Amino acid sequence: MGFKRLWSSIEWGFFYGFITWILGTGVSNRIPGWGVWMILLDRILMAVLIYYGLRIAWPRWIKGAAVGILLSLPLGYFAVKWPFFTQTSGMGGALLTGIVSGILMAYAIREKEEDPGEDTGESGQ
């Protein structure tokens, strides 16, 4: 597994972390700075774990959902500590965005990247 694909998964994690941050705050920025970094690092870690978990013989959506639930639990725990989230909105929001992000990342991160010069065995003639 190459560095380009790992870097691509990190970028997907950053992208979905940014989306989660925007969904969590809306128009105003109510999440403290350390909370924003926690969201971003959580989603990046999720993408890296999904990237390395692609070798497991499970369907992609199960891998993405499992990693999403597992890594969103600590995020949800801290989200309920913020004064503007309730138990339901903090934990539920973290778990829901984690599951959706995990499934979408599992399909976005490619298992194999075909090289343009690689012979696939099919002839163009």
Side-chain angles (χ1 to χ4, degrees):
M1 305 196 116
F3 179 74
K4 287 183 182 180
R5 290 184 301 252
L6 177 62
W7 186 253
S8 174
S9 68
I10 291 170
E11 290 172 347
W12 279 111
F14 184 78
F15 173 74
Y16 282 110
F18 183 76
I19 296 296
T20 303
W21 171 40
I22 295 300
L23 288 174
T25 60
V27 177
S28 64
N29 188 7
R30 301 177 301 186
I31 297 176
W34 63 269
V36 173
W37 283 109
M38 188 173 154
I39 291 170
L40 292 173
L41 291 175
D42 177 70
R43 298 304 185 233
I44 291 171
L45 181 61
M46 184 186 304
V48 170
L49 287 178
I50 290 171
Y51 168 74
Y52 282 112
L54 285 176
R55 297 180 192 167
I56 299 172
W58 291 353
R60 284 183 174 213
W61 70 271
I62 291 176
K63 291 181 237 183
V67 172
I69 289 172
L70 181 71
L71 290 182
S72 294
L73 285 173
L75 183 63
Y77 173 76
F78 285 108
V80 297
K81 302 291 185 194
W82 297 326
F84 44 84
F85 284 126
T86 64
Q87 286 285 113
T88 306
S89 66
M91 187 61 79
L95 288 175
L96 183 64
T97 58
I99 292 168
V100 171
S101 297
I103 292 171
L104 292 175
M105 277 191 268
Y107 282 102
I109 299 169
R110 292 178 269 168
E111 251 180 281
K112 295 180 181 177
E113 188 170 316
E114 294 181 20
D115 294 328
E118 184 178 308
D119 186 19
T120 59
E122 298 177 12
S123 64
Q125 297 174 340

